[in-house]
Amino acid sequence: MDKDIREHFWKAFQTSPFIMMSLQGGHAHAEPMTAQLDKDAHHAIWFFTKRDNRIGGGGKAMGQVMTRGHEVFACIDGTLVEETDTAVRDKHWNNAVEAWFPGGKADASVVMLRFEIEDAEVWTSEMGLKGAFKLLTGKPIKQGEAGEHALGAV
């Protein structure tokens, strides 16, 4: 994946860190999760959830991202695994997480999952003035005038 698209994705995702997650091969609907992002991590994001949550057991998963302002859309494929590193868990635990899990980080029913990203498809939406004019007037929009599209690791 092009470096510019990858950086655009992470910057937009950081300002709107919400993702719809579901396990692959299951019949349960995707659900919104708040991603815990780490600028030093490569190809991984984290979530806190309850062990009995529909994604709590981990496994092959897929997430869909649509950032605030609709500047980035992405479909992310990977595997959810339990994060066992207490330093990582402690680093990401904060007041917002505590609000969802009042039993605290020592609550045995709370699990931190690491989403190991294997592949992604990302679309950026950057119409610009010319593209917006064409859209409003019904003129044809050529590929590249509405944003970019890429496949690969983010």
Side-chain angles (χ1 to χ4, degrees), residues 1-117:
M1 179 173 300
D2 178 89
K3 180 183 174 191
D4 290 339
I5 294 174
R6 183 180 306 113
E7 287 177 2
H8 190 97
F9 165 77
W10 285 110
K11 184 177 178 182
F13 194 26
Q14 184 175 9
T15 63
S16 183
F18 308 106
I19 185 170
M20 294 293 292
M21 290 298 306
S22 64
L23 294 177
Q24 292 183 17
H27 298 290
H29 292 281
E31 64 181 309
M33 301 296 291
T34 302
Q36 303 297 318
L37 305 175
D38 186 337
K39 66 181 174 133
D40 298 322
H42 299 286
H43 314 296
I45 56 178
W46 290 263
F47 310 100
F48 286 99
T49 191
K50 292 282 192 167
R51 289 188 183 280
D52 63 357
N53 180 283
R54 66 183 83 167
I55 66 168
K60 288 292 292 169
M62 188 159 291
Q64 285 78 35
V65 173
M66 180 174 63
T67 61
R68 185 177 302 133
H70 302 155
E71 70 237 39
V72 170
F73 300 86
C75 184
I76 305 170
D77 179 48
T79 304
L80 286 167
V81 296
E82 184 172 352
E83 180 59 69
T84 58
D85 185 339
T86 55
V88 172
R89 188 177 169 111
D90 290 345
K91 178 180 180 178
H92 292 287
W93 192 269
N94 57 49
N95 289 339
V97 174
E98 183 94 24
W100 286 100
F101 306 105
K105 59 184 165 186
D107 183 342
S109 70
V110 176
V111 63
M112 183 182 210
L113 297 173
R114 181 178 62 251
F115 187 35
E116 297 175 344
I117 299 170

